[in-house]
Amino acid sequence: MKQHTDFSTRLDELQQRVATARSAVQSAAAESDAQLRQRIDQAQAELDQSVENARDEASQAADSARAKWAQMKTDAAAKMSDVKANIDKRTRQVDAKVAASDADWAEADAAEALDFADWAVESAQLTMLDAIHARAYADTLARAAANS
């Protein structure tokens, strides 16, 4: 199974997702409350679908590596707060100090999510390099066996 040939394509797709996220965040800064809520609803729905897909992968995974990564995705998503619930709670607040504190927490959560994404990219790089090495070694052994 030569999946390493897909790595460049998958990295291109990831880069596009980051560009899309950057654009969405930059646009959101100038949007109305209703527009922000619509954008958040869509992002929450996409995350919820991703969590469901990860759960399905974890339950269907035949090998331990795939199951391990699917479970990590599920666990990470479970730790994320429900943004819609936070917004509903936030809009009931009338105290500016409480709202500012809530904003501080939300910004800290966003920073932590970015730290996790950074770690995930580093982890993906390491595992892709390991996969490329493993495939190259297997191919070398196969050629040696064929020449014997």
Side-chain angles (χ1 to χ4, degrees), residues 51 54 68-80 116:
V51 170
K68 176 181 75 172
W69 286 106
Q71 188 60 50
M72 277 184 70
K73 286 187 339 191
T74 302
D75 291 345
K79 288 178 176 38
M80 295 197 61
F116 181 79

Side-chain angles (χ1 to χ4, degrees), residues 25-97:
V25 168
Q26 288 172 337
S27 296
E31 291 178 342
S32 69
D33 184 67
Q35 290 169 315
L36 272 171
R37 285 175 182 259
Q38 183 178 9
R39 188 181 294 275
I40 288 168
D41 285 347
Q42 178 166 347
Q44 183 76 53
E46 290 169 2
L47 180 61
D48 291 347
Q49 184 61 54
S50 179
V51 170
E52 190 60 36
N53 292 346
R55 284 187 183 126
D56 290 346
E57 287 174 17
S59 66
Q60 296 173 5
D63 62 5
S64 61
R66 183 177 164 123
K68 176 181 75 172
W69 286 106
Q71 188 60 50
M72 277 184 70
K73 286 187 339 191
T74 302
D75 291 345
K79 288 178 176 38
M80 295 197 61
S81 59
D82 182 351
V83 173
K84 282 182 69 172
N86 289 344
I87 289 172
D88 291 341
K89 179 180 145 194
R90 182 177 306 134
T91 57
R92 291 190 301 270
Q93 295 174 352
V94 292
D95 185 292
K97 287 182 182 177

Side-chain angles (χ1 to χ4, degrees), residues 120-137:
V121 168
E122 290 174 0
S123 179
Q125 177 183 344
L126 178 60
T127 56
M128 284 183 286
L129 293 171
D130 181 52
I132 291 166
H133 179 266
R135 178 59 57 199
Y137 185 70

